Amino acid sequence: MKIKVITVGKLKEKYLKEGIAEYQKRLQRFAKIDMIELADEKTPEKASEAENQEIMAKEGDRIWAKIGERDYVVVLAIEGKQLPSEKFSKVLQQAKLSGHGTLTFIIGGSLGLTDKIKKRADLLLSFGLLTLPHQLMRLVLMEQIYRAQMIEVGSPYHK
């Protein structure tokens, strides 16, 4: 199994990098992890709606180019489904059993994602209504992917 995490923007914070690296290390026994950081567009301070849409479209094109045709795509979006960890684990298990060789997770930039990317999703997933920094979401996502794997193998980690 391969897991691909596509994110917009560069991760700068050392403590977040270290946390993500720890979960990547833990996940190695279950899957090959591919972290893909894509460039974000500079957003003018008082950007118009048209400018915002253009920025999202450029970022969306970069994301689109990294999605495989047979990938099972999970897009993080505030309007997505909220799942308990056990259900999230089952969804990932089902995706693997359905013949998807790659689970692809997408975290967009600060303006969000285009409808094109959201429509490509097999699952729109929300970790709640709170607004969290995109960089922190990477760490939260990696922990939840690890937790899902631990649930699948019956590990006490989840308790």
Side-chain angles (χ1 to χ4, degrees), residues 54-66:
E54 185 178 330
I55 289 166
M56 286 182 3
K58 287 179 183 176
E59 292 173 351
D61 289 344
R62 288 186 196 118
I63 293 168
W64 192 262
K66 300 295 182 185

Side-chain angles (χ1 to χ4, degrees), residues 98-113:
S98 299
H100 296 278
T102 303
L103 296 174
T104 297
F105 296 88
I106 298 172
I107 300 174
S110 61
L111 296 176
L113 293 160

Side-chain angles (χ1 to χ4, degrees), residues 108-146:
S110 61
L111 296 176
L113 293 160
T114 61
D115 286 341
K116 178 181 177 182
I117 298 295
K118 289 179 183 179
K119 287 179 183 163
R120 172 58 182 87
D122 294 286
L123 171 65
L124 281 177
L125 180 66
S126 172
F127 286 145
L129 300 176
L130 295 172
T131 301
L132 296 173
H134 290 88
Q135 296 85 352
L136 180 58
M137 274 313 304
R138 293 184 202 188
L139 178 57
V140 172
L141 174 62
M142 293 300 290
E143 192 281 334
Q144 285 298 304
I145 294 169
Y146 178 70

Side-chain angles (χ1 to χ4, degrees), residues 11-21 133 135-136 139:
L11 186 61
K12 298 173 186 142
E13 295 83 359
K14 182 181 175 188
Y15 71 96
L16 291 174
K17 286 181 182 180
E18 290 171 351
I20 291 167
Q135 296 85 352
L136 180 58
L139 178 57

